[in-house]
Amino acid sequence: MQPIYYRSITEIRQALDAGKLTSRQLMDVLIDRSEAVDDRIGAFLHRDFVDARAQADAADARRKSGKSLGPLDGIPVAIKDVLAVKGQPLTCASRMLEDFISPYDAGCISRLKAQGCILWGRLNMDEFAMGSATENSAFQKTRNPWDTDRTPGGSSGGSAAAVAAGEAIAALGTDTGGSVRQPAAFCGIVGVKPTYGRISRHGLVAYASSLDQVGTCTRTIADAALLLDAICGHDALDSTSLDLPKTDFVAALREDQQQPRKIGIAREFFGAGLDPEVKACMDAAIRFYKSHGCEILDISLPNVSLAVPVYYLIATAEASSNLARFDGVRYTHRSESANDAINLFSKSRAEGFGAEVKRRILLGTFVLSTGYYDAYYLRAQKIRTLIRQDFEQAFRKVDAILSPAAPTPAFPIGAHKEDPLALYLSDLHTIPVNLAGLPALSLPCGFTDSGLPVGMQLIGKALGEAGILQLAQRFESAHDFNRQTPSL
Ligand code: GLN
């Protein structure tokens, strides 16, 4: 049996229910573990042990008095520092919000609280979720538990690394262009980004509102289903939140009839630049599904080659508008040297934002400016529609699309320092999914010869989470990639 900190929620639930473990003991194990390894990993920006233990004690008391709140009661979930938890820091890994304490709970956080989850820890990320390596945090770098000279991916690098290192059982991240799936792939864990609108964005500090979505980082598919069932659902405080019947992905997994499915392989996702070891893992996964009765079909998504530039126009445009609120006047960093109003804005923003955030605000302001709006922003929106239609077309023929989650395994820290464009291009497998608003997940599907995890992506049709979760679980239950742990 694995040490407690490497177990799944499902296994821990059994131990809690059998009286073999208390939430307090579990919390202490995780605190000890993070004390032991986080100086090497750097997943957490903030941890409040006193508060975490108090939440654990409260869960134990509920269980004792028979008032348990459900399957997640007493389960610690660590949170990316972009989601508001009342009374906890909310920095978005930015100097701009260095001293900010959240006055309220995000929609998904209220739901986890209602289930009795222990919400502890603030996880490192790229500043305002802009990046693919967690190197853009204003405070620290996070390291990949499998090789600490490498990045954990990003922007939810802290979330994925914490789970992979056994510092957290599960974590929440956010995914605007792949920020849950790519770090999950780099760190050898499961990352799920549901359909846009499934999870409230209220209390998620906005980067690119039409693309942002909360996602889960867990060890297993079953754990992802448990968490998703808890956090999906309508929220009147988010105007893009979908009002749908309650999800029951846990039941969907339990009731999977193993019917053969049609899986599409898009040639655009297997082009030049794909690492041969990643390709080999995809080939093995395709063989697995074939031998388990699935039909593998070649498909084409002709416009996805434009997804990365389209994304960087739309995302930066939205970011330039969303980040205008950080003005030095209200709750943000305020420059000490400002002597008039204009100065106050410009100096506070110059001091508060890091280089990547500034680069994106500049780009976004440019593409929205008079004279350029039609040429860039409007055209990008039109191509976004074409990309969505490509997927719609494909999903008339197939039930799911399989691809790598990222073209390479985790790259060395600093590898793209001089060339942000190369880093932007590495998001080519994940970004089209956000542009189309579809659900997708990344699950461990192998290792490179040097021991780095490889992740496969399964993309579903809109609201088709249950289908891809089922497919993923079939693969997971026949392999043990997610049972392997880094030596730390
Ligand atoms: N890497 C992408 C970006 O930098 C995606 C980030 C995200 O999903 N938050 O924008």
Side-chain angles (χ1 to χ4, degrees), residues 168-179:
I169 301 298
L172 290 189
T174 59
D175 191 312
T176 305
S179 277

Side-chain angles (χ1 to χ4, degrees), residues 153-406:
S155 65
S156 311
S159 306
V163 173
E167 298 182 71
I169 301 298
L172 290 189
T174 59
D175 191 312
T176 305
S179 277
V180 163
R181 289 160 287 155
Q182 181 253 27
F186 281 13
C187 292
I189 61 156
V190 171
V192 186
K193 178 206 96 72
T195 309
Y196 183 80
R198 272 276 198 211
I199 301 172
S200 169
R201 286 183 299 107
H202 171 63
L204 188 192
V205 179
Y207 158 21
S209 313
S210 77
L211 300 155
D212 295 341
Q213 186 61 183
V214 177
T216 55
C217 293
T218 57
R219 251 181 262 301
T220 66
I221 291 290
D223 285 3
L226 256 175
L227 265 189
L228 288 169
D229 282 339
I231 59 178
C232 287
H234 182 244
D235 183 352
L237 297 173
D238 169 5
S239 62
T240 58
S241 156
L242 297 170
D243 197 356
L244 297 166
K246 205 182 148 3
T247 63
D248 197 345
F249 300 132
V250 171
L253 288 180
R254 203 176 40 233
E255 290 153 14
D256 181 14
Q257 303 293 321
Q258 311 275 322
Q259 304 109 309
R261 297 260 167 76
K262 291 186 178 144
I263 299 177
I265 307 295
R267 67 181 79 97
E268 292 81 3
F269 284 149
F270 288 80
L274 184 60
D275 179 278
E277 288 188 284
V278 172
K279 167 89 168 48
C281 290
M282 296 310 124
D283 291 342
I286 292 169
R287 279 197 299 278
F288 168 83
Y289 281 115
K290 228 183 210 164
S291 68
H292 284 72
C294 290
E295 198 180 330
I296 308 292
L297 296 168
D298 284 326
I299 57 164
S300 175
L301 301 164
N303 293 291
V304 300
S305 59
L306 296 171
V308 173
V310 162
Y311 169 88
Y312 278 97
L313 294 175
I314 294 174
T316 56
E318 292 184 17
S320 71
S321 160
N322 276 325
L323 271 61
R325 72 191 64 167
F326 303 110
D327 54 9
V329 176
R330 286 163 294 185
Y331 38 77
T332 54
H333 167 78
R334 178 178 294 180
S335 175
E336 304 259 318
S337 63
N339 50 15
D340 64 29
I342 298 298
N343 226 283
L344 176 71
F345 298 148
S346 60
K347 286 199 165 169
S348 300
R349 286 167 70 82
E351 292 168 14
F353 289 137
E356 183 62 24
V357 176
K358 285 179 190 155
R359 178 165 26 242
R360 296 193 186 199
I361 292 174
L362 287 175
L363 182 59
T365 307
F366 172 75
V367 305
L368 289 176
S369 58
T370 317
Y372 293 102
Y373 177 93
D374 290 358
Y376 293 107
Y377 183 73
L378 208 62
R379 190 172 293 183
Q381 290 291 12
K382 289 180 179 163
I383 301 173
R384 181 179 189 173
T385 303
L386 295 178
I387 292 171
R388 207 188 57 232
Q389 288 170 348
D390 281 355
F391 278 108
E392 279 166 12
Q393 196 78 25
F395 282 119
R396 287 199 195 108
K397 287 208 302 202
V398 299
D399 304 306
I401 297 172
L402 185 155
S403 83

Side-chain angles (χ1 to χ4, degrees), residues 7-14 16-17 21-23 26-27 30 55-56 59-60 62-63 70-78 112 115-120 168-171 223 226-227:
R7 291 190 205 162
S8 65
I9 299 180
T10 316
E11 288 162 345
I12 283 171
R13 180 80 262 153
Q14 283 164 1
L16 288 170
D17 290 346
L21 182 71
T22 65
S23 287
L26 170 62
M27 202 58 246
L30 291 176
Q55 292 185 55
D60 285 331
R62 282 194 295 273
R63 194 162 37 252
L72 288 172
D73 200 352
I75 300 291
V77 181
L112 288 184
Q115 300 261 329
C117 282
I118 301 167
L119 298 166
W120 87 295
I169 301 298
D223 285 3
L226 256 175
L227 265 189

Side-chain angles (χ1 to χ4, degrees), residues 44-104:
F44 285 93
L45 290 174
H46 177 85
R47 294 170 293 170
D48 183 342
F49 298 150
V50 174
D51 177 57
R53 288 189 169 113
Q55 292 185 55
D57 288 342
D60 285 331
R62 282 194 295 273
R63 194 162 37 252
K64 248 193 184 147
S65 58
K67 296 204 179 97
S68 198
L69 297 170
L72 288 172
D73 200 352
I75 300 291
V77 181
I79 308 294
K80 182 177 181 180
D81 203 6
V82 72
L83 290 163
V85 179
K86 190 176 174 178
Q88 295 189 11
L90 176 58
T91 73
C92 300
S94 179
R95 297 255 171 247
M96 200 50 133
L97 290 170
E98 193 165 3
D99 301 316
F100 185 69
I101 304 290
S102 175
Y104 63 83

